[in-house]
Amino acid sequence: MNLHLQKLQHQTRRQFLRNVGQFSLGAIAMEALLPPMLRAGATGVVNPLAVHQPHFPPKVKRVIYLHMSGGPPHLDLFDYKPELVKRDGQLAPDAFIKGKKFAFTQGVPTLMGTPRTFAQYGQNGTWMSDAIPHFHGLADDLCVIKSMNSDQFNHAPAELLLFTGSPRQGRPSMGSWVTYGLGSENENLPGFVVLISSGVQPSAGQSAWGTGFLPSVFQGVQCRSKGDPVLYVGDPPGMSREMRRHTLDALRDLNELQAAELGHPETATRIAQYELAFRMQTSVPEVMDISREPPSVLQAYGAVPGDSSFANNCVLGRRLLEQGVRFVQLFDWGWDFHGTSPKEDIRDGLTQKMARTDKPVAALINDLRQRGMLDETLVIWGGEFGRTPFREGRTSGGDILGRDHFPDAYSLFMTGGGIKRGITYGQTDELGFGVVKDLVHVHDLQATILHLLGFDHTRLTFRFQGRDFRL
Amino acid sequence: PASAESRALSQLYETALAGYRADDRQAAAWIENSRLSPVATPKVAEVAAWTAVANVLLNLDETLMKR
């Protein structure tokens, strides 16, 4: 085979048009059409994470998404159903369950009213249970959406749907889309950082922060709150900072030669990533060190330096946002309240889980406000779906109270810039089986998040295999 | 390799060699970290410098990915 021809075959038509001589008509026209991130700067070196403007003036600059992996029992937290309490123990009405499938429940399930105590808080009387005492004082800050709706009743596909827009793998995640559209405000840190607590990765795995077909530089970077924040962030013995710079210079020169020869965009990405990694070697250990926070702040969050808790991640999240990180994604495991163990009981189990959750979240919101950042930040708290108004089939005969997965109607809350605060949006029927007013599908939530960041969600696209894709 | 490529690599080798010659202990630590058997002087700096060059070669985009 002719090697020269083989080389040409690696060039796609688009790459060719993009890269032809700088003064050709094609190049000039393409330059104007390309998203700014793909244009070369004065030096010819592309910075894929350079800051760029969205479609219209944004309401928020950054996002912190607090994801409770497993599906929090919304009927025991926000969505109070007195009628369900009255009918506790009765069989679920046929009209509500006919033709429906549930993850772990077969036959006719038994209705379960909440065993928790509810009251109204704030000026607009937002309903909240006794499981979330630290949220009571924030009632006037939160927009509680009670009409969330998903298509998927198992964790992994539901998380994929929520974070990538598709229940199957392969699409870019929300944080990747946002970083692709907006770039990063801190050139020493990744634009999209992921923090995980309670020891287990979310069911959707790394696809929940993957780039799919977007350039891989937009992938979420997972940092650890214990030990080295990023594995091998330090230089090994015998490799001084200065020597590292020399080797990276050589590496960059050689990679640039290859980029000039073959013109593959991922080569440019690799150059950019090596350089970012070099800068991260100093910036990351600094930003990830929460012992630099005053004791009063740590106390407010309930954070302890050296832990790998959700509370620590909330402090880290604020520190990262403060440094200009665009999208911070927290995943906390342990919200799958089936009732198969005391930890999954919606009475004591939920109280204990929430005790490690509502305090740091409330502290985060208050901290952002005190620093004047809340109006430019979007805070979201929620799960991939909710939990059934009835007892989970396998555990319904036992003493532990649990609920099954439920995608039809659930609750989450948002606060921050561009959000109407102190309101409840949407409504479910009297037993909580379906949305009766203002349904918010997870795709609507994604569009809202992009809208707040200044994007028309139908226009933030990436062409792949001949088609424009979007979140 | 093309001449520009050899130039970049030999330049790195010279710089690394000067650095490791000036600091024996760094050179020995780098060799140990690279899981090479201890080297008798006076070759320590040379081996350390070549290891740095190899490190670059193994991390090249064209080494890691077929474009």
Side-chain angles (χ1 to χ4, degrees), chain A residues 1-13 15 258 261-264, chain B residues 66-67:
Chain A
M1 175 175 295
N2 183 324
L3 286 176
H4 182 66
L5 279 180
Q6 202 178 26
K7 196 173 90 182
L8 285 179
Q9 281 168 351
H10 286 298
Q11 287 254 348
T12 66
R13 179 168 46 89
Q15 285 167 22
Q258 200 214 346
E261 194 186 349
L262 293 177
H264 199 288
Chain B
K66 187 184 175 199
R67 299 288 180 207

Side-chain angles (χ1 to χ4, degrees), chain A residues 85-363:
Chain A
V85 175
K86 250 188 250 168
R87 299 215 214 163
D88 182 70
Q90 296 179 15
L91 291 179
D94 206 31
F96 286 113
I97 54 163
K98 202 171 178 184
K100 293 219 168 127
K101 275 188 182 163
F102 301 98
F104 293 98
T105 305
Q106 265 128 38
V108 182
T110 318
L111 295 178
M112 175 165 62
T114 184
R116 315 236 37 139
T117 314
F118 272 77
Q120 287 178 287
Y121 299 92
Q123 293 188 347
N124 293 319
T126 303
W127 284 102
M128 293 191 199
S129 82
D130 61 335
I132 41 177
H134 288 92
F135 289 161
H136 295 168
L138 287 175
D140 289 332
D141 286 300
L142 307 182
C143 168
V144 180
I145 305 173
K146 290 189 178 173
S147 51
M148 285 303 302
N149 174 264
S150 175
D151 307 334
Q152 297 294 325
F153 67 62
N154 273 322
H155 303 294
E159 285 182 340
L160 286 172
L161 183 67
L162 176 60
F163 290 112
T164 74
S166 160
R168 286 166 293 280
Q169 290 176 329
R171 297 287 195 92
S173 60
M174 197 189 288
S176 297
W177 278 113
V178 170
T179 323
Y180 159 73
L182 292 174
S184 173
E185 287 200 322
N186 183 334
E187 60 173 23
N188 299 326
L189 288 172
F192 177 18
V193 176
V194 178
L195 301 166
I196 291 175
S197 52
S198 303
V200 184
Q201 301 246 336
S203 304
Q206 299 185 349
S207 299
W209 58 92
T211 45
F213 40 72
L214 289 179
S216 41
V217 71
F218 303 115
Q219 179 168 316
V221 173
Q222 187 188 338
C223 289
R224 311 185 314 155
S225 47
K226 207 174 179 177
D228 271 354
V230 177
L231 289 171
Y232 306 112
V233 73
D235 284 315
M239 176 55 76
S240 66
R241 189 81 179 141
E242 201 188 359
M243 192 66 77
R244 171 67 77 206
R245 189 61 258 168
H246 289 311
T247 59
L248 280 175
D249 284 345
L251 197 51
R252 186 201 52 218
D253 291 348
L254 294 170
N255 278 338
E256 275 177 0
L257 287 172
Q258 200 214 346
E261 194 186 349
L262 293 177
H264 199 288
E266 282 288 296
T267 311
T269 292
R270 191 183 298 282
I271 296 171
Q273 277 169 331
Y274 278 136
E275 292 300 322
L276 175 62
F278 179 73
R279 297 190 299 268
M280 277 168 59
Q281 286 189 291
T282 46
S283 60
V284 166
E286 203 175 299
V287 74
M288 295 295 288
D289 180 7
I290 64 165
S291 67
R292 291 165 187 249
E293 293 286 328
S296 59
V297 170
L298 294 177
Q299 214 168 3
Y301 283 82
V304 180
D307 274 8
S308 54
S309 62
F310 177 71
N312 280 33
N313 286 354
C314 285
V315 180
L316 286 172
R318 194 221 77 222
R319 287 176 65 85
L320 290 162
L321 293 173
E322 215 171 18
Q323 294 298 316
V325 171
R326 189 67 73 181
F327 204 102
V328 178
Q329 176 84 59
L330 266 59
F331 289 97
D332 185 54
W333 182 261
W335 291 90
D336 201 11
F337 282 80
H338 282 286
T340 51
S341 77
K343 277 203 290 197
E344 294 178 2
D345 189 309
I346 54 173
R347 292 163 299 185
D348 272 4
L350 183 58
T351 306
Q352 283 166 30
K353 185 65 179 164
M354 259 304 172
R356 297 188 294 270
T357 308
D358 69 340
K359 182 177 165 176
V361 174

Side-chain angles (χ1 to χ4, degrees), chain B residues 12-62:
Chain B
L12 172 67
Y13 175 72
E14 294 301 333
T15 313
L17 185 63
Y20 284 123
R21 271 198 178 137
D23 192 342
D24 279 0
R25 274 200 303 203
Q26 277 284 89
W30 178 231
I31 287 171
E32 194 191 333
N33 178 70
S34 309
R35 295 196 174 80
L36 298 173
S37 5
V39 180
T41 44
K43 292 269 176 148
V44 178
E46 276 84 350
V47 174
W50 281 120
T51 308
V53 173
N55 181 279
V56 166
L57 290 174
L58 291 172
N59 280 291
L60 283 176
D61 185 62
E62 59 186 311

